[in-house]
Amino acid sequence: MANRSKKVVLSARVDPYLKAALELLAASRKEKIVKVLETFIENGLQDLSVINPFLHEKPRTKISFMNVFIAIWTEDEVLYKVRAGALGPDYAGETLWRQAMVVVGYDYFKGDDDLYGDMNGLTEKWGYKADYNYSLNLELVRSEWSTVEDYVAFIESNKPFEPSYEDYKKMRDQSRAK
């Protein structure tokens, strides 16, 4: 898996006047446009509020999207995706949610590894706790993640046909043996 801590390229089309505004702001601050954009993105994610999936008081409170993200972030791409998806489609989108549900929903992937752990220190700091304590075999999840992704793509493109994960793997193996 690639090292996810390095900078990545993000390509976006913007209106010419926005590019001119970015250039002007960057020049006035003696910064590069990229730095200005990073600041805008981070501030925008911080300002976006979502229902807190980790505190279960009534009524449900809202928190910054970045606080949720910080709680689940890890450089382990598969672990990060399962954590995000297990929060639900409102936080991770339908496809990632379905992928995570395959992992947390089948006894096949059960193990001793706590999916959320201490949420990057936020369990103690802010009292965060996941709705459910998922114990997984993360090595098995990592080794089969591409198969899980393929399975969910297969299910999404072949509705209403929905074999179990185990049946899908058998069908796939049989088709490869021919």
Side-chain angles (χ1 to χ4, degrees):
M1 213 172 298
N3 182 346
R4 298 177 76 222
S5 64
K6 296 192 185 280
K7 300 280 183 164
V8 296
V9 174
L10 179 65
S11 178
R13 293 183 183 272
V14 297
D15 288 328
Y17 82 97
L18 290 176
K19 182 177 183 251
L22 282 170
E23 290 170 339
L24 189 63
L25 180 62
S28 71
R29 293 183 172 187
K30 297 181 174 98
E31 293 179 346
K32 295 184 184 253
I33 290 176
V34 171
K35 180 63 179 158
V36 172
L37 282 172
E38 283 178 342
T39 302
F40 285 166
I41 291 169
E42 192 162 337
N43 288 341
L45 291 171
Q46 188 70 37
D47 290 345
L48 181 68
S49 293
V50 295
I51 292 173
N52 188 337
F54 304 123
L55 291 178
H56 307 290
E57 68 266 341
K58 299 285 182 191
R60 299 292 298 259
T61 58
K62 289 193 168 192
I63 62 168
S64 160
F65 177 84
M66 275 304 280
N67 286 349
V68 173
F69 176 77
I70 290 166
I72 64 172
W73 171 251
T74 175
E75 289 187 22
D76 179 332
E77 184 176 3
V78 171
L79 177 57
Y80 163 68
K81 286 181 174 183
V82 177
R83 283 177 174 177
L87 291 179
D90 291 342
Y91 299 94
E94 291 285 329
T95 300
L96 196 54
W97 171 66
R98 287 188 176 113
Q99 292 165 348
M101 290 301 98
V102 170
V103 170
V104 301
Y106 283 96
D107 286 342
Y108 176 71
F109 289 107
K110 299 255 185 279
D112 296 328
D113 301 312
D114 183 354
L115 176 60
Y116 290 104
D118 74 346
M119 294 195 207
N120 296 320
L122 299 184
T123 298
E124 185 176 329
K125 183 176 180 181
W126 290 331
Y128 284 4
K129 183 176 181 344
D131 273 343
Y132 185 78
N133 184 19
Y134 298 108
S135 296
L136 303 172
N137 178 340
L138 289 176
E139 283 307 311
L140 179 61
V141 173
R142 286 182 193 101
S143 71
E144 294 202 18
W145 184 251
S146 64
T147 305
V148 169
E149 290 175 317
D150 293 345
Y151 170 65
V152 169
F154 176 84
I155 295 297
E156 288 176 345
S157 64
N158 290 287
K159 290 180 182 176
F161 182 54
E162 193 168 327
S164 69
Y165 180 69
E166 292 83 7
D167 288 343
Y168 168 78
K169 288 190 340 179
K170 288 176 191 171
M171 290 177 357
R172 186 197 59 188
D173 292 344
Q174 287 172 353
S175 71
R176 288 182 178 169
K178 291 180 182 181

